Structures are given as structure tokens and as C-alpha cells.
Amino acid sequence: MHDHTPISRATRRALAVATAVAVAAGLAVGVTVGSPGRATAAPASESEAADYASDVHGDAWDFTNSSDFNTDFSGTPARVTGGALKVDLAPGNRLFMVHSISGSLATGRDGARQPVDPARYSRLTFSMDQPLTKHIGAVYWFTCREQTSACGGGFTFPIVQGPHVYSFDLTAKSNLLAKVPWRSAKKVVFRVDPVILANGSGNTGKQASIDWMRLHAAPDATHPQAGMPAGTYSGYTVTPRPQLVVDSPNPTQGQDYATATTGRPWNFTSAAATSRVRYSNTTVLARDSRGITARNNGPRQNDPQVHLPVSRLAGSTYHHLQFDLTYDGPFDLSGSAGGGKMARAIWNVSGTGTPQISNDILTYSSGNAAETTVDLTAQNPLDEDAIAPKAGWGGQTITGLRFDPNEDPGKAVWHLKSVHLRADPAATGSTNVTFHDNAWVAGSTADVAVRTGSGGWQRIASGVAVTKGSNTVPFRLGSRPAGKYAVQVTLRHPDGSSDSETASAPVVMKAGAAVDPATSHDPIGNFERGTGTTSGVTLTGWAYDPDASAVQVRVYDRTSGSRSLGTVTTSIARSDVRRARPAAPANSGWSLTVPLSAGSHKICAYGLNTGPGTTNPLLGACRQVTVGVDRSHDPVGRLDTATVGSGGVTVTGWAYDPDTRDPLSVAFYDRTSGSRHLGRVSTSVARPDVVRAHPAAPANSGYARTIALSKGTHELCTYGINVGAGTTNPLLGCRSVTVR
């Protein structure tokens, strides 16, 4: 096993920029950087430029997780693997980084919902390694969802064999399609064709690998390298911008209609919970952890229907439609067998007998599927060709509701796990705002503001110190009027870069005695670990509710959207939690193992409130877990302490590799800004406590090292260097220390 230390990704970036690339004569010039390696002098430092994916999704296109790219739109086989986007070099190898389809409701990362602002993002930079010579690539953009030539523009560029960074000024020229200029209007589709092959040239049998891609603000004279991802390069350092995600309030925290009226949600894993649901043009084949498995059937095979039992409900109250649906086979929108991979909602309203028919809701294939959330009042939800009168959803009294999983004329097999119809989250007197930064650095601060209607933002917290992982700020109604409040978080890094994001749902604040969140009745807990296996994940943590002897924890895969993975009840003895929190029950631990598709998944856990609490809080921080890799041979260990003394910072911990009894090498990094290697040490300290807990560990599995650091706050991290059959050098832990 080779030594792939955590800095290997930065090294790949440095290798990619080692050669200048001239592109698209007059359009742009490839970034020029010195040869890879550590600079002898202190490198110049500059802030990372504003980046579309980082700002809008809180998730850069660095291809470390499957949600960075929807492979259903690639045209030819493409996949996210090994920290890169791999695409076969064949005709039609189109990479839709921002995509949209007319006639569908804009959900998830649809470009119509989150268009690209050309005034803010005017440059494209990406790192690509490809083997061909004497070929060209192309960049396309569209201002309309139909993607017709009349609303399109773009340009071609020559490609270079091997690993290179390509960088383009998108405002310089547009000479494709209707030559629509970049700055003309917001873009709902943005596409990169890494290589254009002549018609009939066929699949080359070769592959391009894109390490990262950034659609970003133009660098300036004082920030010439700002288009590069954060990291330390030869001669300069790029410090990271925030990648802010506001976790709460969100639509999953709103009251569920079925639960409110019957005491049970429409969870199709339970026959009892869905006993009043009816099906048409459908044969239910099975019921298991995926919900129901069903197949399209006659008499109208292309129109399977799930009839949900509703009485009279207020559309303006219950308006967040959520469903967890997967299916066998590929994504296809054609009208032939295997196509029609779009769902619909159809409902009846008081005052007319005409059914209200929603526009298409796109449903993606297995690797891209996620729980879908549609706010039926945020946009016109109706099909353009629906018959009159078109009453819509908002402001209506809904008297019937139907969910159609697809329009496949073939015998499609599909799996429906849940359907929810939710209200906006609500609280009485006070609630919590939670958020996290996917590019956290020590010294970050945040402001939190709220507003009602179209009024101005009112700041409720300022200069809050931001920690790694989940952060919580209380929102107390106080003297403010009751009403529906939007929530905005603004996060600032020490380098001056900032990002502002609004929560995905408002919170309805009701007048009443404010509850101090520190002593509230909401669940308390932590999502401690997510371990990927070859076919799924094992998730562990702890939780308790001050008003219950046990608490339910619901887990979601939020890689793209929000898909429920199941619910588990606390039942595992956790004496450590009890010592730290005497109010916790003895059995406050939880563990859940679920199957998942191969790839990187963003997993989040929520504690479900019992009694007088106000919300279902996020437990700790969401975690990125990789499935499809055998981790049983990877090093195991922990960073125990990091103590500041007169000689530096002394770091202690333990580690071992299951494949050897020999001492294990442990690498140290300062990740305060980028990733700076501080050296290594081998395990040599006797740790009988570790051997008692891990009988496979050698007797001398402890490590200790004193490291000299400059004045200031540092994030120290340790990694176990794998030997034998393992797959990675796992993070053993990080500690924030301040040297004065």
C-alpha cells in the first residue's frame, strides 16, 4: 500500500497547474504556476474567489461526493470516484454542471431554482487530465430551460494532453449557437464538453478525469490565483471561502399532515400506517425496508396511482410535498417502455370538480436519487396543458390527493418508502437556528438575522464564534410580533471572505413564553460516527429527550435533497454520556446499519421531539461516509490531547493497523489554512487501556510528539498511515489550540 497522505489532493492540483495552457485564442490563458513542491519562502496568501457551487450549494465541485454531479445528464458514462469526475471520451460526452428541463417543477439543484448570476460568476477554471491530442472542447450556456439555439451561447477551446488547468474569461466571447453573451441574463443551464469528437468517430476507449471545477468571480490584480481551490501551492496559498449550509429551520421539521390527523405518517414500510392508501394501475409486489415494491399494471399501465387519504386541508398550511422514491433501471424521459421517469401530484380542491395536475417532478436513477421536496406554493405547480379552471394549491382547500410515481408505458418496477405533506416549521416563543461550514477554519464568525414578509433583516446574533461541525444560535421571539420568519446566516472567515444563506424554510413563530434553548425540552445528542462498508453504513451516536425515557433518531441521506434512511430508538448503555450529562438515561446510545449504494453520502441525524419541545434538532454535524470500500484493514486510532507548553504543543493519542504488529506511522498536519505537513512519529508508548478495549492492538500503540508552532490559533490533525490491504489514511482526530 502506497503512502497517500492527506496532502495528495493538493499535490494533484499543483501537478495540474505546472504547465501553462493557451486556450481559445483571445479567450483566455491557462493559469501559470511554478513546479509542484513546497516553497522555500513563506508563500503569498490570498482569498479564494466567490464560487457558484460553494455559495449556492455549500458544496464545491471537488467531486468528493456523488451530489457534485448528476450522472443522469452526462450523455455518456460518467461517474464520481476517487475524488474526480471520470467521463468516457465518446460522442455526446456532455457534462451538465447546472441543468434544467422545461415542463418540470424546479427541485433540488435545478438551474431554474438556482440560476447562475453572470454578474457575480464570470470565469470558469477546472483541472482536467485527458489522453487525446489535436482535439477541442466546448463550453455552452442557456438562458432558457428549453435549451434551444436561440437562447444559447458558448465557445470552443483546444485541449492539451495530460493534466492541466484550463481557465476562461466567460465574458470575452460567445461564438456558438445564437452567440448569446455571458452577461446577457441569468443562466439556467451550464455545460462543459471536455472533448468534441467528430460524428461517427465512436468511443475512443479512453477517459478524461476532472479533478475539480469552479465557476467563480474573476480574480483581480491583488488576487491573481483566487480561481484556484483552497490549498497551499508552490509560491502561494489560497485560503478557503465559507461553504455555508443552514440546517435548521428546514421543511422536514414541519408538522406532517398524516401524523397530525391519524398519529402516523405515510410510511410505506408499515402496512398499518398506510392501510387506507389505495392503488390503481399498480401491482404491489412486496413491502420491506424500501417501502412497497410495485409494478406498473393495467388497465392504464403508464399511469400508476397512489391515492392518499385526505379530508379537507388548507393548502397554504400544508404545502411541502416530500417523497422517497426509487426505481429499477436508468433515468429516461422518453415515451417508450423504460421512459417516463417523472412523478406528478394530482389533487382536488373545494369549489370545482376539475382535478389540478402538477407539472412533471423529475425522478433520478439509483445513484442520483434522493428524497424530493417540492414547495407547492413557491412556484406555479400546475402543468401548462392542464384543463381549466387552474386553481392551484396555495389558498385552496384540498379535498383529495393522488401521487403518480411515473409515466412509464412499460412494466416499471418502483419502490416508494414515504410520502409527507408538511407545514412550515413552527415554534412557540423560541427556537434554534443551526448551521455548519463545509470549509471551516478557526477564527470564523457568524451573524444571524430574521425578517417577516418583505421587511428588512433584523439581526438576532452578531460575531458568533463558529466551531467545526454544527453550530446553534437561539432565536427568541421576544417583543417581535408573531408570524412567519425567514432566517439568514452570514458567515465570515478570518481572511475577510463571507457567504450568506437563507434557511430552506421559514419558521412560524407563535406568541408565548420563550423557552431558553439551553434548558429546553428539545432532544439533545450527537451523531458521532459513520462507517462505510462494502454495501452500506453503520451510524452511531447518543441522544435523549428531557421528557422521555427513550428518543427516536431519524437519519437522512442529504447527498442530494433529503432521503430518509430510517428511524432507530436509543437503547445502548452509554455510561460516558451519563457522567457528562446526569439527566441522560443510562441507555442513551443508538446504532443503525442501513444498505446504501456505492459512493460518498452526506448523512444527517435528527432527534425526534417528545412532549413540549419545539423542534427535531440536528444531532451534532452531518457526516460524509463512503460506501463500497472495505475499511476493515484501515488504521484505527484517536488523537487524545493537544497541550500547549513552553516547548510547543504536545500531541498524544494511539493508533494501530490491523494488518501489522509493527509500530504505525502517524502524520501531523496544521489545517488552519489549507493543509501543512508538520512531520510524523511512530507509535511506541505503552497503552494497556487501548489493548483492553482493542485486543488486536499492540502493547505500545500510543504516540506522543511536541511540535513547535507560531503564535495564534491552529487546527492540529493526525492521520494513521496505512500499511497492508487498507484503502486510506484515516483521520484520527483534530484539536484547536492557541499559542500565545
Side-chain angles (χ1 to χ4, degrees), residues 123-364:
R123 198 168 186 92
L124 173 69
T125 304
F126 62 92
S127 171
M128 180 171 69
D129 183 1
Q130 66 81 40
L132 303 182
T133 59
K134 298 182 180 178
H135 279 279
I136 61 172
V139 177
Y140 292 89
W141 54 76
F142 297 87
T143 58
C144 67
R145 301 183 80 192
E146 294 75 14
Q147 301 177 44
T148 59
S149 176
C151 70
F155 57 84
T156 58
F157 61 92
I159 65 169
V160 179
Q161 187 179 43
H164 295 277
V165 164
Y166 300 77
S167 190
F168 309 103
D169 178 2
L170 299 174
T171 68
K173 191 175 182 180
S174 176
N175 55 14
L176 297 177
L177 304 176
K179 304 179 182 179
V180 172
W182 175 253
R183 291 198 185 278
S184 60
K186 290 187 176 181
K187 307 299 182 289
V188 297
V189 175
F190 185 79
R191 187 181 107 202
V192 177
D193 295 3
V195 177
I196 298 175
L197 300 174
N199 290 335
S201 61
N203 195 322
T204 64
K206 298 179 179 179
Q207 192 178 71
S209 177
I210 299 178
D211 188 41
W212 49 265
M213 185 176 293
R214 291 171 53 77
L215 182 56
H216 60 92
D220 55 36
T222 58
H223 302 88
Q225 310 296 348
M228 297 295 288
T232 298
Y233 303 88
S234 181
Y236 66 96
T237 294
V238 179
T239 56
R241 282 177 55 81
Q243 293 186 34
L244 171 63
V245 179
V246 181
D247 299 299
S248 175
N250 70 69
T252 65
Q253 298 170 323
Q255 184 182 57
D256 172 66
Y257 168 79
T259 303
T261 55
T262 69
R264 297 176 121 174
W266 293 320
N267 183 341
F268 290 83
T269 63
S270 166
T274 54
S275 61
R276 294 178 56 208
V277 175
R278 296 184 297 106
Y279 309 92
S280 300
N281 307 318
T282 298
T283 298
V284 176
L285 304 174
R287 189 187 302 270
D288 53 26
S289 61
R290 296 178 297 180
I292 59 166
T293 294
R295 182 175 59 228
N296 289 11
N297 207 340
R300 296 193 305 276
Q301 191 163 277
N302 68 334
D303 191 22
Q305 303 172 5
V306 179
H307 300 266
L308 301 165
V310 302
S311 53
R312 296 170 65 85
L313 65 90
S316 295
T317 299
Y318 295 101
H319 58 96
H320 296 287
L321 174 67
Q322 295 178 308
F323 60 88
D324 189 343
L325 172 74
T326 57
Y327 51 81
D328 297 348
F331 174 73
D332 185 349
L333 296 179
S334 71
S336 56
K341 293 304 191 294
M342 74 282 283
R344 286 184 190 272
I346 299 176
W347 61 93
N348 301 100
V349 300
S350 179
T352 176
T354 302
Q356 304 296 297
I357 304 173
S358 83
N359 228 326
D360 301 338
I361 307 172
L362 300 185
T363 58
Y364 300 115

Side-chain angles (χ1 to χ4, degrees), residues 398-413:
I398 311 301
T399 58
L401 178 61
R402 187 179 108 198
F403 176 70
D404 293 4
N406 65 73
E407 297 181 5
D408 187 345
K411 293 186 177 182
V413 174

Side-chain angles (χ1 to χ4, degrees), residues 648-666:
V649 179
T650 300
V651 181
T652 67
W654 59 270
Y656 72 95
D657 191 302
D659 298 320
T660 181
R661 302 290 295 177
D662 295 335
L664 185 69
S665 184
V666 175

Side-chain angles (χ1 to χ4, degrees), residues 7 230-232 237-240 441 669-676 715:
I7 206 167
T232 298
T237 294
V238 179
T239 56
V441 295
Y669 284 83
D670 182 354
R671 293 181 56 181
T672 309
S673 178
S675 186
R676 185 166 67 92
E715 184 191 15

